[in-house]
Amino acid sequence: MVKEKLSANIPSLKSWVEVSENSDFPIQNLPFGVFSTKTKSKRVGVAIGNQILDLANLYELGYLSSLSFCEHCFNNEFLNRMMGHGKIEIRELRNRISELLNISNDELYKDKKHLKLVLDLQSSATMHLPIKIGDYTDFYSSEQHAFNVGSMFRDPNNALLPNWKHIPVAYHGRSSSIIPSGEDVIRPKGQQKQDESENPIFGASKLLDFELEMGFITFEGKPLGEQIFTEEADDFIFGMCLFNDWSARDIQKWEYVPLGPFLAKNFASSMSCWIVTLDALEPFRTSGPVQNPKVLPYLEYKNDKHLNIDLSVSIKIPNGEEKVVTESNYKHMYWNMNQQLAHHSVNGCNINCGDLLASGTISGPQKGSFGSMLEISWRGTQPVSMPDGSERKFINDGDTVIFRGAATNGSYKVGFGELVSKVLPAK
Ligand code: CA
Protein backbone atom coordinates (compact mmCIF):
# COMPACT_ATOMS: atom_id res chain seq x y z
CA MET A 1 0.00 0.00 0.00
CA VAL A 2 1.10 3.55 -0.71
CA LYS A 3 2.33 5.15 2.51
CA GLU A 4 3.24 8.73 1.55
CA LYS A 5 1.46 11.25 3.75
CA LEU A 6 -1.76 12.84 2.60
CA SER A 7 -0.53 16.22 3.80
CA ALA A 8 -2.72 18.03 1.26
CA ASN A 9 -5.85 16.85 3.12
CA ILE A 10 -5.30 18.68 6.42
CA PRO A 11 -8.62 20.45 7.18
CA SER A 12 -7.00 23.61 8.57
CA LEU A 13 -5.08 24.39 5.35
CA LYS A 14 -5.88 27.68 3.65
CA SER A 15 -4.70 29.10 0.36
CA TRP A 16 -3.58 32.59 -0.56
CA VAL A 17 -5.88 32.14 -3.57
CA GLU A 18 -9.27 33.38 -2.48
CA VAL A 19 -11.71 30.47 -2.24
CA SER A 20 -15.38 31.21 -1.59
CA GLU A 21 -17.15 29.16 1.05
CA ASN A 22 -19.33 27.27 -1.42
CA SER A 23 -16.51 26.60 -3.89
CA ASP A 24 -16.02 23.00 -5.07
CA PHE A 25 -12.28 23.62 -5.15
CA PRO A 26 -10.69 24.49 -1.81
CA ILE A 27 -7.00 23.74 -1.24
CA GLN A 28 -7.97 20.29 0.11
CA ASN A 29 -9.34 19.26 -3.31
CA LEU A 30 -6.83 20.16 -6.07
CA PRO A 31 -8.42 18.18 -8.93
CA PHE A 32 -6.60 17.77 -12.25
CA GLY A 33 -7.94 18.75 -15.65
CA VAL A 34 -6.92 19.87 -19.13
CA PHE A 35 -7.63 23.44 -20.19
CA SER A 36 -6.80 26.03 -22.81
CA THR A 37 -7.22 29.80 -23.06
CA LYS A 38 -7.00 32.34 -25.88
CA THR A 39 -3.24 32.39 -25.47
CA LYS A 40 -2.49 28.95 -24.04
CA SER A 41 -2.68 25.61 -25.85
CA LYS A 42 -4.16 22.58 -24.08
CA ARG A 43 -2.30 21.79 -20.88
CA VAL A 44 -2.69 20.29 -17.43
CA GLY A 45 -4.18 22.46 -14.73
CA VAL A 46 -5.36 22.19 -11.14
CA ALA A 47 -8.53 23.93 -9.93
CA ILE A 48 -8.27 26.23 -6.92
CA GLY A 49 -11.23 28.46 -6.05
CA ASN A 50 -12.40 30.06 -9.30
CA GLN A 51 -8.92 29.82 -10.83
CA ILE A 52 -6.72 27.26 -12.54
CA LEU A 53 -3.11 26.66 -11.65
CA ASP A 54 -1.23 26.08 -14.94
CA LEU A 55 1.11 23.15 -14.30
CA ALA A 56 2.90 23.51 -17.63
CA ASN A 57 4.07 27.02 -16.76
CA LEU A 58 4.59 26.10 -13.12
CA TYR A 59 6.96 23.36 -14.27
CA GLU A 60 8.75 25.61 -16.72
CA LEU A 61 9.36 28.18 -13.99
CA GLY A 62 11.06 25.51 -11.91
CA TYR A 63 8.55 25.08 -9.08
CA LEU A 64 8.20 21.33 -9.61
CA SER A 65 11.87 20.54 -10.09
CA SER A 66 12.10 18.49 -6.88
CA LEU A 67 9.75 15.93 -8.46
CA SER A 68 10.36 13.38 -11.20
CA PHE A 69 7.92 14.75 -13.78
CA CYS A 70 8.97 16.17 -17.15
CA GLU A 71 7.67 19.02 -19.30
CA HIS A 72 5.59 16.63 -21.44
CA CYS A 73 3.63 15.47 -18.40
CA PHE A 74 1.99 18.89 -18.11
CA ASN A 75 2.35 20.42 -21.56
CA ASN A 76 0.03 17.76 -22.86
CA GLU A 77 -3.54 17.53 -24.14
CA PHE A 78 -4.28 14.64 -21.75
CA LEU A 79 -3.48 13.70 -18.15
CA ASN A 80 -2.31 10.19 -19.08
CA ARG A 81 1.39 10.91 -19.29
CA MET A 82 1.36 12.56 -15.87
CA MET A 83 -0.72 9.68 -14.50
CA GLY A 84 1.90 7.28 -15.84
CA HIS A 85 3.95 8.23 -12.77
CA GLY A 86 1.54 6.34 -10.55
CA LYS A 87 -0.06 6.83 -7.16
CA ILE A 88 2.99 7.77 -5.05
CA GLU A 89 4.34 10.42 -7.41
CA ILE A 90 0.92 11.92 -8.08
CA ARG A 91 0.46 12.17 -4.31
CA GLU A 92 3.83 13.95 -4.03
CA LEU A 93 2.79 16.29 -6.83
CA ARG A 94 -0.50 17.12 -5.12
CA ASN A 95 1.33 17.69 -1.83
CA ARG A 96 3.78 20.02 -3.58
CA ILE A 97 0.96 22.00 -5.22
CA SER A 98 -0.75 22.28 -1.83
CA GLU A 99 2.48 23.63 -0.36
CA LEU A 100 2.85 26.24 -3.13
CA LEU A 101 -0.74 27.43 -2.68
CA ASN A 102 -0.58 27.47 1.11
CA ILE A 103 -1.22 30.83 2.73
CA SER A 104 1.86 30.45 4.92
CA ASN A 105 4.15 29.82 1.95
CA ASP A 106 5.15 32.81 -0.23
CA GLU A 107 7.54 30.94 -2.53
CA LEU A 108 5.20 31.39 -5.50
CA TYR A 109 2.95 34.09 -4.12
CA LYS A 110 5.73 36.65 -3.73
CA ASP A 111 6.58 36.65 -7.46
CA LYS A 112 3.78 38.64 -9.10
CA LYS A 113 5.20 38.08 -12.61
CA HIS A 114 5.07 34.34 -12.10
CA LEU A 115 1.55 34.53 -10.67
CA LYS A 116 0.35 36.06 -13.94
CA LEU A 117 1.84 33.13 -15.83
CA VAL A 118 0.49 30.33 -13.66
CA LEU A 119 -3.05 31.45 -12.76
CA ASP A 120 -6.01 31.66 -15.12
CA LEU A 121 -9.63 32.39 -14.29
CA GLN A 122 -11.81 29.36 -14.89
CA SER A 123 -14.33 31.68 -16.56
CA SER A 124 -11.81 32.57 -19.27
CA ALA A 125 -10.62 29.00 -19.88
CA THR A 126 -12.04 26.15 -21.93
CA MET A 127 -12.04 22.71 -20.34
CA HIS A 128 -11.38 19.62 -22.45
CA LEU A 129 -11.79 15.86 -22.19
CA PRO A 130 -9.04 15.26 -19.62
CA ILE A 131 -8.19 11.63 -20.26
CA LYS A 132 -7.28 9.70 -23.38
CA ILE A 133 -9.65 6.95 -22.34
CA GLY A 134 -8.52 3.46 -23.22
CA ASP A 135 -11.21 1.00 -22.26
CA TYR A 136 -14.54 1.90 -20.76
CA THR A 137 -16.46 -0.50 -18.53
CA ASP A 138 -19.90 0.20 -17.09
CA PHE A 139 -21.01 -1.57 -13.94
CA TYR A 140 -24.55 -2.04 -12.63
CA SER A 141 -23.75 -1.75 -8.96
CA SER A 142 -26.64 0.11 -7.29
CA GLU A 143 -29.08 -2.35 -5.79
CA GLN A 144 -32.01 0.06 -5.83
CA HIS A 145 -31.44 0.78 -9.54
CA ALA A 146 -31.22 -2.91 -10.39
CA PHE A 147 -34.32 -3.53 -8.27
CA ASN A 148 -36.29 -0.70 -9.91
CA VAL A 149 -35.41 -1.83 -13.43
CA GLY A 150 -36.08 -5.48 -12.57
CA SER A 151 -39.44 -4.52 -11.05
CA MET A 152 -40.50 -2.51 -14.08
CA PHE A 153 -39.42 -4.94 -16.77
CA ARG A 154 -39.69 -8.32 -15.07
CA ASP A 155 -41.17 -9.01 -11.66
CA PRO A 156 -41.08 -7.00 -8.40
CA ASN A 157 -40.90 -10.29 -6.49
CA ASN A 158 -37.85 -11.44 -8.41
CA ALA A 159 -36.40 -8.09 -9.41
CA LEU A 160 -32.73 -9.01 -9.03
CA LEU A 161 -31.34 -11.71 -11.29
CA PRO A 162 -29.75 -14.67 -9.43
CA ASN A 163 -26.18 -13.51 -10.14
CA TRP A 164 -26.60 -9.90 -8.98
CA LYS A 165 -25.49 -10.26 -5.35
CA HIS A 166 -22.58 -12.52 -6.29
CA ILE A 167 -21.07 -10.64 -9.25
CA PRO A 168 -20.50 -6.91 -9.79
CA VAL A 169 -22.33 -7.11 -13.12
CA ALA A 170 -20.84 -5.02 -15.94
CA TYR A 171 -20.38 -4.73 -19.69
CA HIS A 172 -17.68 -3.31 -21.92
CA GLY A 173 -18.71 0.06 -23.32
CA ARG A 174 -17.21 2.27 -25.99
CA SER A 175 -14.71 5.01 -25.24
CA SER A 176 -14.74 6.84 -28.61
CA SER A 177 -18.01 8.62 -27.79
CA ILE A 178 -17.16 9.76 -24.26
CA ILE A 179 -17.40 13.55 -24.34
CA PRO A 180 -16.61 16.31 -21.83
CA SER A 181 -19.00 18.56 -19.97
CA GLY A 182 -20.16 21.37 -22.25
CA GLU A 183 -20.33 19.28 -25.40
CA ASP A 184 -23.83 18.84 -26.81
CA VAL A 185 -25.44 15.44 -27.15
CA ILE A 186 -27.21 14.64 -30.40
CA ARG A 187 -30.38 12.61 -29.99
CA PRO A 188 -29.67 9.16 -31.42
CA LYS A 189 -31.66 7.39 -34.10
CA GLY A 190 -32.25 3.68 -34.24
CA GLN A 191 -34.63 0.76 -34.34
CA GLN A 192 -37.52 0.67 -31.93
CA LYS A 193 -40.37 -1.77 -31.62
CA GLN A 194 -43.67 -1.16 -29.89
CA ASP A 195 -45.08 -4.13 -27.98
CA GLU A 196 -48.20 -4.16 -30.17
CA SER A 197 -46.34 -3.97 -33.50
CA GLU A 198 -44.98 -6.93 -35.35
CA ASN A 199 -42.04 -5.10 -36.89
CA PRO A 200 -39.63 -2.42 -35.71
CA ILE A 201 -39.61 1.15 -36.96
CA PHE A 202 -36.60 3.41 -37.49
CA GLY A 203 -36.36 6.95 -36.17
CA ALA A 204 -35.14 9.34 -33.50
CA SER A 205 -35.27 7.94 -29.99
CA LYS A 206 -38.30 9.20 -28.10
CA LEU A 207 -37.14 7.96 -24.72
CA LEU A 208 -33.75 9.63 -24.22
CA ASP A 209 -32.57 9.33 -20.64
CA PHE A 210 -29.63 10.24 -18.43
CA GLU A 211 -27.98 7.82 -16.03
CA LEU A 212 -26.54 9.38 -12.86
CA GLU A 213 -23.18 7.66 -12.44
CA MET A 214 -19.69 8.27 -11.20
CA GLY A 215 -16.60 7.05 -13.02
CA PHE A 216 -13.12 6.24 -11.83
CA ILE A 217 -9.92 6.50 -13.82
CA THR A 218 -7.17 3.92 -13.40
CA PHE A 219 -3.41 4.09 -13.17
CA GLU A 220 -1.40 1.46 -15.01
CA GLY A 221 -2.54 -1.95 -13.74
CA LYS A 222 -0.82 -5.29 -13.85
CA PRO A 223 0.26 -7.44 -16.81
CA LEU A 224 -2.26 -9.63 -18.60
CA GLY A 225 -2.94 -12.74 -16.53
CA GLU A 226 -2.52 -11.13 -13.11
CA GLN A 227 -5.26 -9.94 -10.79
CA ILE A 228 -5.68 -6.83 -8.63
CA PHE A 229 -6.84 -7.62 -5.10
CA THR A 230 -9.42 -5.58 -3.19
CA GLU A 231 -6.84 -4.52 -0.59
CA GLU A 232 -4.53 -3.00 -3.21
CA ALA A 233 -7.18 -1.59 -5.56
CA ASP A 234 -6.86 1.97 -4.16
CA ASP A 235 -3.28 2.12 -5.45
CA PHE A 236 -4.57 1.62 -9.01
CA ILE A 237 -7.20 4.38 -8.88
CA PHE A 238 -6.20 7.90 -9.93
CA GLY A 239 -9.45 9.73 -9.36
CA MET A 240 -13.14 10.16 -10.05
CA CYS A 241 -15.54 12.19 -12.18
CA LEU A 242 -19.28 12.64 -12.60
CA PHE A 243 -20.54 10.51 -15.43
CA ASN A 244 -23.75 10.69 -17.46
CA ASP A 245 -24.21 7.43 -19.31
CA TRP A 246 -26.87 8.58 -21.78
CA SER A 247 -29.36 5.89 -22.71
CA ALA A 248 -32.03 5.58 -25.38
CA ARG A 249 -34.59 3.43 -23.61
CA ASP A 250 -36.67 2.57 -26.69
CA ILE A 251 -33.63 1.47 -28.71
CA GLN A 252 -32.32 -0.42 -25.67
CA LYS A 253 -35.51 -2.37 -25.15
CA TRP A 254 -35.49 -3.81 -28.67
CA GLU A 255 -31.77 -4.45 -29.09
CA TYR A 256 -30.48 -5.68 -25.73
CA VAL A 257 -31.38 -9.36 -26.03
CA PRO A 258 -29.25 -11.47 -25.95
CA LEU A 259 -25.91 -9.62 -25.84
CA GLY A 260 -26.78 -6.48 -23.87
CA PRO A 261 -26.30 -2.75 -24.44
CA PHE A 262 -25.08 -1.50 -27.82
CA LEU A 263 -26.43 1.44 -29.88
CA ALA A 264 -28.75 2.56 -27.08
CA LYS A 265 -25.65 3.44 -25.09
CA ASN A 266 -22.68 4.10 -27.32
CA PHE A 267 -23.84 7.32 -29.00
CA ALA A 268 -22.55 9.42 -26.05
CA SER A 269 -21.52 9.38 -22.43
CA SER A 270 -20.58 12.67 -20.76
CA MET A 271 -17.94 13.16 -18.08
CA SER A 272 -17.10 16.09 -15.83
CA CYS A 273 -13.78 17.76 -16.65
CA TRP A 274 -12.06 17.89 -13.25
CA ILE A 275 -10.72 14.57 -12.00
CA VAL A 276 -10.85 14.57 -8.20
CA THR A 277 -8.09 12.32 -6.91
CA LEU A 278 -9.01 9.36 -4.74
CA ASP A 279 -6.53 10.87 -2.26
CA ALA A 280 -8.70 13.99 -1.93
CA LEU A 281 -11.73 11.76 -1.30
CA GLU A 282 -10.12 9.62 1.44
CA PRO A 283 -11.59 11.77 4.27
CA PHE A 284 -15.07 10.90 3.01
CA ARG A 285 -14.88 7.12 3.35
CA THR A 286 -17.96 5.44 4.73
CA SER A 287 -19.19 1.91 5.26
CA GLY A 288 -21.14 0.06 2.59
CA PRO A 289 -24.20 -2.14 2.94
CA VAL A 290 -23.93 -5.53 4.61
CA GLN A 291 -23.51 -7.93 1.72
CA ASN A 292 -25.78 -10.88 2.13
CA PRO A 293 -25.30 -13.54 0.81
CA LYS A 294 -21.62 -13.50 1.70
CA VAL A 295 -19.45 -12.76 -1.31
CA LEU A 296 -16.73 -15.06 -2.61
CA PRO A 297 -13.33 -14.53 -0.94
CA TYR A 298 -11.82 -12.55 -3.83
CA LEU A 299 -14.57 -9.93 -3.39
CA GLU A 300 -14.21 -9.58 0.37
CA TYR A 301 -12.73 -6.31 1.55
CA LYS A 302 -11.57 -4.64 4.75
CA ASN A 303 -12.25 -1.15 6.11
CA ASP A 304 -14.60 1.47 4.71
CA LYS A 305 -14.37 1.45 0.93
CA HIS A 306 -17.50 3.38 0.03
CA LEU A 307 -17.53 7.17 -0.37
CA ASN A 308 -20.05 9.69 0.89
CA ILE A 309 -20.56 11.96 -2.14
CA ASP A 310 -23.82 13.89 -2.55
CA LEU A 311 -25.11 13.90 -6.11
CA SER A 312 -27.89 15.78 -7.86
CA VAL A 313 -29.36 16.10 -11.32
CA SER A 314 -31.17 19.15 -12.66
CA ILE A 315 -32.96 19.67 -15.94
CA LYS A 316 -32.88 23.15 -17.42
CA ILE A 317 -35.50 23.72 -20.09
CA PRO A 318 -34.78 26.13 -22.98
CA ASN A 319 -34.89 29.73 -21.69
CA GLY A 320 -36.17 28.44 -18.39
CA GLU A 321 -35.17 27.68 -14.86
CA GLU A 322 -33.48 24.61 -13.55
CA LYS A 323 -35.40 21.93 -11.75
CA VAL A 324 -33.68 19.42 -9.47
CA VAL A 325 -35.13 16.05 -10.45
CA THR A 326 -33.12 13.81 -8.15
CA GLU A 327 -30.72 13.85 -5.20
CA SER A 328 -28.71 10.71 -4.60
CA ASN A 329 -25.40 9.69 -3.02
CA TYR A 330 -22.50 7.55 -4.19
CA LYS A 331 -22.56 5.70 -0.85
CA HIS A 332 -25.67 3.85 -2.05
CA MET A 333 -23.52 1.52 -4.14
CA TYR A 334 -23.79 -2.16 -3.27
CA TRP A 335 -20.41 -2.97 -4.86
CA ASN A 336 -17.51 -0.56 -4.21
CA MET A 337 -14.64 0.35 -6.56
CA ASN A 338 -12.24 -2.08 -4.88
CA GLN A 339 -14.62 -4.95 -5.55
CA GLN A 340 -15.27 -3.76 -9.10
CA LEU A 341 -11.56 -3.61 -9.90
CA ALA A 342 -10.88 -6.96 -8.22
CA HIS A 343 -13.72 -8.54 -10.17
CA HIS A 344 -12.70 -6.92 -13.46
CA SER A 345 -9.18 -8.36 -13.19
CA VAL A 346 -9.87 -11.69 -11.46
CA ASN A 347 -9.76 -13.52 -14.79
CA GLY A 348 -6.43 -11.89 -15.66
CA CYS A 349 -7.92 -9.05 -17.71
CA ASN A 350 -5.41 -6.18 -17.66
CA ILE A 351 -6.23 -2.61 -16.69
CA ASN A 352 -4.31 0.21 -18.37
CA CYS A 353 -3.50 3.77 -17.43
CA GLY A 354 -6.51 5.87 -18.45
CA ASP A 355 -9.25 3.24 -18.36
CA LEU A 356 -12.62 4.47 -17.15
CA LEU A 357 -14.83 2.30 -14.97
CA ALA A 358 -18.29 3.64 -14.28
CA SER A 359 -20.56 2.79 -11.38
CA GLY A 360 -23.82 2.21 -13.16
CA THR A 361 -26.87 4.32 -12.34
CA ILE A 362 -26.80 5.38 -8.68
CA SER A 363 -30.28 5.22 -7.20
CA GLY A 364 -30.91 5.93 -3.55
CA PRO A 365 -33.37 3.90 -1.50
CA GLN A 366 -36.43 6.11 -1.93
CA LYS A 367 -38.35 8.14 -4.49
CA GLY A 368 -36.59 11.45 -5.04
CA SER A 369 -33.19 9.75 -5.12
CA PHE A 370 -33.50 7.63 -8.25
CA GLY A 371 -30.77 8.04 -10.87
CA SER A 372 -32.60 7.99 -14.22
CA MET A 373 -35.79 9.40 -15.72
CA LEU A 374 -36.89 5.81 -16.37
CA GLU A 375 -37.13 5.37 -12.61
CA ILE A 376 -38.07 8.95 -11.67
CA SER A 377 -41.06 8.92 -14.03
CA TRP A 378 -41.53 5.18 -13.46
CA ARG A 379 -41.51 4.31 -17.18
CA GLY A 380 -43.35 7.52 -18.02
CA THR A 381 -46.33 6.85 -15.73
CA GLN A 382 -45.38 9.62 -13.26
CA PRO A 383 -44.21 12.67 -15.25
CA VAL A 384 -42.15 15.38 -13.58
CA SER A 385 -43.58 18.90 -13.74
CA MET A 386 -41.21 21.62 -14.84
CA PRO A 387 -41.10 25.31 -13.79
CA ASP A 388 -42.87 26.41 -17.01
CA GLY A 389 -45.77 24.01 -16.47
CA SER A 390 -44.57 21.45 -19.00
CA GLU A 391 -43.91 17.83 -18.07
CA ARG A 392 -40.97 15.51 -18.55
CA LYS A 393 -41.04 11.75 -18.76
CA PHE A 394 -37.67 11.67 -20.49
CA ILE A 395 -35.32 14.34 -21.90
CA ASN A 396 -36.55 16.70 -24.63
CA ASP A 397 -34.57 18.43 -27.38
CA GLY A 398 -33.17 21.69 -26.05
CA ASP A 399 -33.08 20.48 -22.45
CA THR A 400 -29.82 20.84 -20.55
CA VAL A 401 -29.01 18.16 -18.00
CA ILE A 402 -26.73 19.24 -15.14
CA PHE A 403 -25.04 16.86 -12.71
CA ARG A 404 -23.44 18.13 -9.51
CA GLY A 405 -21.50 16.24 -6.88
CA ALA A 406 -19.60 17.06 -3.73
CA ALA A 407 -18.36 15.45 -0.55
CA THR A 408 -18.62 17.60 2.55
CA ASN A 409 -17.58 17.35 6.17
CA GLY A 410 -17.70 19.95 8.92
CA SER A 411 -14.57 21.67 7.61
CA TYR A 412 -14.64 21.80 3.84
CA LYS A 413 -16.18 20.56 0.61
CA VAL A 414 -14.58 18.54 -2.17
CA GLY A 415 -16.63 19.05 -5.32
CA PHE A 416 -16.48 17.92 -8.92
CA GLY A 417 -17.68 21.04 -10.72
CA GLU A 418 -20.70 20.72 -12.98
CA LEU A 419 -21.34 18.20 -15.72
CA VAL A 420 -23.49 20.10 -18.21
CA SER A 421 -24.90 18.65 -21.43
CA LYS A 422 -27.50 20.04 -23.80
CA VAL A 423 -29.55 17.72 -25.97
CA LEU A 424 -29.84 18.63 -29.65
CA PRO A 425 -32.38 17.21 -32.10
CA ALA A 426 -31.54 14.10 -34.10
CA LYS A 427 -29.71 14.76 -37.38
CA1 CA B 1 -25.00 2.85 -17.39
Side-chain angles (χ1 to χ4, degrees), residues 138 171 211 213 245 265 360-361:
D138 194 23
Y171 71 98
E211 288 190 335
E213 304 196 14
D245 190 34
K265 300 278 187 178
T361 308

Side-chain angles (χ1 to χ4, degrees), residues 344-357:
H344 203 311
S345 63
V346 73
N347 64 345
C349 173
N350 49 344
I351 303 290
N352 292 312
C353 178
D355 287 350
L356 191 153
L357 281 67

Side-chain angles (χ1 to χ4, degrees), residues 352-380:
N352 292 312
C353 178
D355 287 350
L356 191 153
L357 281 67
S359 57
T361 308
I362 306 160
S363 291
Q366 68 274 323
K367 229 172 127 61
S369 63
F370 296 165
S372 64
M373 289 303 286
L374 177 72
E375 296 161 87
I376 294 167
S377 76
W378 209 256
R379 261 180 124 172

